[in-house]
Amino acid sequence: MKKSPLAGFQGLYAFNSLVLLIALSSCGETKQEEDKADSRPNIIFIMSDDHAYQALSAYDDKLIQTPNIDRLAEEGMLFEHAYVTNSICAPSRAVILTGKHSHLNGMMDNSVRFDSTQMTFPKLLQENGYQTAIVGKWHLKTQPTGFDYWRVLPDQGHYYNPEFRTPEGLVVDSGYVTDIITDRSIQWIKDNKESKKPFMLMYQHKAPHREWSPKEEHFRAFTQKEFPEPATLFDDYAGRGTAAKEAEMRISSHMGVTYDNKINPEIAEKLGHKDFIYWYKNGYYEMLARMNPSTRAAWDEVYGPINEEFEQMNPQGDALTSWKYQRYMQDYLGSIASVDDNVGRLLDFLEEEGLAENTIVIYTSDQGFYLGEHGWFDKRFMYEESFRTPLLIRWPGVTQPGSVNGQLVQNLDFAETILEAAQVKIPAEMQGRSLVPLLKGEKVDWRKALYYHYYEYPGIHAVKRHNGIRTDRYKLIHFYYDVDEWELYDLEMDPQEMNNVYEDAAYMEVRENMHEKLIELMHEYKDEVKVPTN
């Protein structure tokens, strides 16, 4: 049979049509993939500033009830032994971002500028399909990088009518800082929730950082409360070395009655109080100047009688310490009450918007804080109240509600945890461990010791440089630079760390084992710097 002269053309046409059909089909599949929402979890990292675990009722309800933050423990996991690597604001934040100890990320104290060009977990999430944002406290001096949206406080920021740094410049928001940070965070989620991309939000509060200035409803309520004194409020530091004795953070002599306790400088000076830091008086007047008229009127109504009573009482000695402790707790805890209110607002918003089931929520603090233990306020030491932090994580469908974990974990682990949850490869240079297996309830071979290193001396509060190691039961600390002193604590027998047993013959074997572990961890974390003795 004779072939048609068009047969070859028809065959070629059929072949090309098939190729086109396959190509169009392929494009359709690609388009469907593009249109398909990324099902990886959203992540909200909530961090307050100086929030002691003792002031969170999921851990201890003697001082305050925090029902909203407690929801994360009830619906997720509470970590009983969460710690930091360096108990001070900016270095802690750098460790969280980079997953590396201070000596490697370069942020060893608060005076340093963070190197924003280095690798951070927000950058890795952004590169791997996440929308990223940070709202609130940044405190790293440089411009935030790795974020699609950022609105951060300059330096420490202010409680009333605060300024914020933005890509467009400095702006002022009217209101109370904890409310504003929440408003802006919720608005960012609203603006981006229709996106096919998952989001990661760092929602970071100024509160309850010093000068502990509560919102009106809470300073009205908390100034009417009285709080139990800690057993070690009048600690004389016997049985410990010079570091505890020489630290300048005692409520009795280093807390300012003006800036900290809200006593008018004229009354303070009349009664002979010489607040030892020059900016106390200026800070007091600046705080008042930032208030709008209605807040200032309410403030005068509440704090005016407190000033009058103080002037009439003129407490001295231990009575003054007790008075200052109560004023400290009233304002510190009042500031936390707003954090709890606003965490509740955010959690409710997630529920209302149908976002809760696919959102991991982490709550922590940049370090612990002293609430009168050992007579102190502030942080910095490797002693427990400063070293330990709250850590609550809710991951619906993955983490068993109401679960409690007792492993030794650190802020060094946060970056790795977030990356694994987001299905992003964890860089080999990161030094922590992902908490995901713990959150899943898996039995894993976990670390047996934690490493700590504090550098900011000479400096405010005069806490000496030191490094050390903590295991489940023991803690070894080396104070160096202007001294060469060692402290060893048996945390089972002495949980308040009142008795240094470093020279106790009964602990010689423990001491040697702890020294060996310390050297091992210094090598593991590449902290090979020679310890100078001045």
Side-chain angles (χ1 to χ4, degrees):
M1 185 167 113
K2 193 173 180 181
K3 286 186 179 179
S4 164
L6 297 176
F9 176 77
Q10 289 170 338
L12 180 62
Y13 177 80
F15 175 76
N16 286 339
S17 297
L18 179 62
V19 170
L20 180 60
L21 185 62
I22 292 170
L24 289 172
S25 175
S26 176
C27 285
E29 288 175 7
T30 304
K31 185 68 168 63
Q32 286 174 11
E33 287 299 313
E34 288 176 357
D35 289 344
K36 185 179 178 182
D38 190 329
S39 62
R40 290 179 296 171
N42 304 311
I43 300 162
I44 299 180
F45 180 81
I46 309 173
M47 185 161 67
S48 49
D49 194 312
D50 294 342
H51 189 174
Y53 66 89
Q54 314 93 286
L56 206 164
S57 52
Y59 288 92
D60 190 334
D61 62 2
K62 291 191 203 63
L63 293 174
I64 189 172
Q65 294 295 321
T66 51
N68 295 297
I69 301 172
D70 290 357
R71 282 167 59 183
L72 298 175
E74 294 160 5
E75 299 166 5
M77 180 174 285
L78 178 147
F79 288 82
E80 292 182 308
H81 293 112
Y83 295 87
V84 295
T85 62
N86 184 355
S87 182
I88 189 168
C89 296
S92 177
R93 293 161 195 274
V95 168
I96 290 167
L97 288 169
T98 64
K100 296 187 290 189
H101 275 275
S102 300
H103 61 279
L104 294 184
N105 67 49
M107 199 84 194
M108 300 198 324
D109 60 43
N110 273 341
S111 68
V112 182
R113 289 173 63 84
F114 179 63
D115 176 10
S116 290
T117 66
Q118 66 185 304
M119 175 273 300
T120 64
F121 82 82
K123 286 183 183 179
L124 294 172
L125 291 179
Q126 189 182 50
E127 291 168 5
N128 284 274
Y130 268 76
Q131 306 170 86
T132 58
I134 181 169
V135 182
K137 187 163 178 182
W138 171 244
H139 198 48
L140 295 174
K141 296 182 172 67
T142 50
Q143 180 170 305
T145 55
F147 299 98
D148 300 310
Y149 174 87
W150 56 271
R151 191 180 188 93
V152 298
L153 297 166
D155 194 41
Q156 296 287 357
H158 297 282
Y159 277 99
Y160 306 115
N161 300 319
E163 297 93 353
F164 285 86
R165 293 169 56 201
T166 74
E168 291 75 38
L170 203 64
V171 297
V172 179
D173 274 346
S174 178
Y176 186 68
V177 67
T178 311
D179 297 338
I180 294 167
I181 290 169
T182 307
D183 292 340
R184 294 293 180 178
S185 296
I186 288 174
Q187 189 61 52
W188 180 78
I189 297 173
K190 280 183 179 177
D191 291 343
N192 293 277
K193 75 183 184 70
E194 298 305 324
S195 169
K196 301 296 188 293
K197 294 181 177 182
F199 66 80
M200 188 284 296
L201 167 67
M202 298 187 80
Y203 163 56
Q204 304 196 155
H205 288 292
K206 169 183 173 59
H209 193 279
R210 195 181 187 187
E211 71 284 2
W212 318 302
S213 296
K215 188 179 179 182
E216 179 183 340
E217 65 185 278
H218 294 306
F219 68 61
R220 285 188 182 279
F222 278 79
T223 51
Q224 303 305 308
K225 297 177 183 286
E226 186 171 342
F227 301 94
E229 293 180 353
T232 59
L233 180 61
F234 297 100
D235 192 351
D236 63 3
Y237 315 111
R240 279 144 292 168
T242 59
K245 295 180 178 70
E246 294 182 8
E248 295 176 350
M249 51 194 215
R250 289 189 295 280
I251 290 173
S252 61
S253 52
H254 301 113
M255 179 175 279
V257 296
T258 53
Y259 181 72
D260 294 319
N261 297 144
K262 318 300 189 295
I263 295 299
N264 186 296
E266 293 179 8
I267 293 174
E269 290 169 7
K270 175 183 173 183
L271 298 178
H273 293 279
K274 304 294 182 184
D275 283 352
F276 79 110
I277 295 180
Y278 72 92
W279 46 260
Y280 278 10
K281 182 176 180 178
N282 292 339
Y284 173 89
Y285 286 121
E286 182 182 10
M287 174 189 64
L288 295 184
R290 300 196 69 84
M291 297 177 183
N292 59 35
S294 62
T295 302
R296 178 60 193 273
W299 197 93
D300 287 342
E301 182 184 339
V302 172
Y303 288 92
I306 290 172
N307 273 257
E308 292 172 10
E309 182 183 22
F310 181 76
E311 185 174 10
Q312 292 169 4
M313 289 172 53
N314 190 17
Q316 304 291 323
D318 288 352
L320 176 61
T321 300
S322 292
W323 183 90
K324 292 169 81 173
Y325 169 76
Q326 292 298 329
R327 283 271 48 256
Y328 169 34
M329 286 298 92
Q330 289 166 355
D331 289 344
Y332 176 89
L333 297 170
S335 300
I336 287 174
S338 281
V339 175
D340 187 65
D341 290 344
N342 280 279
V343 169
R345 284 178 60 207
L346 181 67
L347 296 180
D348 289 346
F349 167 76
L350 294 177
E351 296 281 353
E352 292 160 6
E353 297 294 322
L355 295 169
E357 288 305 307
N358 194 37
T359 301
I360 299 170
V361 181
I362 301 167
Y363 185 89
T364 191
S365 175
D366 53 354
Q367 60 262 324
F369 213 66
Y370 293 104
L371 305 185
E373 299 89 359
H374 305 293
W376 290 330
F377 65 103
D378 206 68
K379 56 251 184 182
R380 300 164 198 268
F381 274 116
M382 195 185 173
Y383 301 131
E384 207 71 357
E385 293 83 5
S386 165
F387 183 29
R388 183 180 169 194
T389 64
L391 178 60
L392 313 171
I393 302 179
R394 185 180 77 179
W395 189 353
V398 174
T399 302
Q400 183 70 28
S403 53
V404 176
N405 185 277
Q407 300 283 16
L408 296 169
V409 304
Q410 273 185 304
N411 58 352
L412 188 70
D413 303 323
F414 294 166
E416 295 84 343
T417 303
I418 290 170
L419 290 174
E420 182 174 354
Q423 301 169 36
V424 175
K425 184 179 179 182
I426 300 169
E429 65 192 85
M430 287 189 171
Q431 297 182 304
R433 292 187 63 178
S434 169
L435 305 179
V436 167
L438 304 183
L439 291 167
K440 290 181 175 179
E442 296 174 359
K443 300 295 182 185
V444 291
D445 183 21
W446 198 252
R447 65 165 66 95
K448 300 297 187 289
L450 300 171
Y451 181 63
Y452 180 89
H453 201 155
Y454 174 80
Y455 302 87
E456 194 171 288
Y457 180 88
I460 186 172
H461 297 304
V463 173
K464 297 182 185 298
R465 300 184 196 188
H466 59 288
N467 68 347
I469 184 173
R470 188 204 196 279
T471 65
D472 282 337
R473 179 166 177 176
Y474 300 105
K475 185 182 293 183
L476 178 69
I477 308 174
H478 181 210
F479 293 98
Y480 67 91
Y481 185 72
D482 62 332
V483 294
D484 184 11
E485 296 178 353
W486 293 86
E487 296 181 5
L488 176 65
Y489 295 96
D490 182 339
L491 300 171
E492 184 177 296
M493 303 300 292
D494 178 26
Q496 293 179 324
E497 298 169 293
M498 301 289 284
N499 183 29
N500 174 20
V501 296
Y502 188 79
E503 300 295 346
D504 189 327
Y507 286 89
M508 285 300 117
E509 185 177 349
V510 171
R511 170 174 145 174
E512 291 309 309
N513 287 337
M514 292 293 284
H515 270 282
E516 289 175 9
K517 285 185 171 68
L518 176 59
I519 292 169
E520 287 173 8
L521 281 190
M522 290 181 72
H523 283 299
E524 178 183 338
Y525 292 125
K526 303 177 183 177
D527 192 4
E528 308 293 348
V529 179
K530 296 287 185 184
V531 175
T533 56
N534 204 3

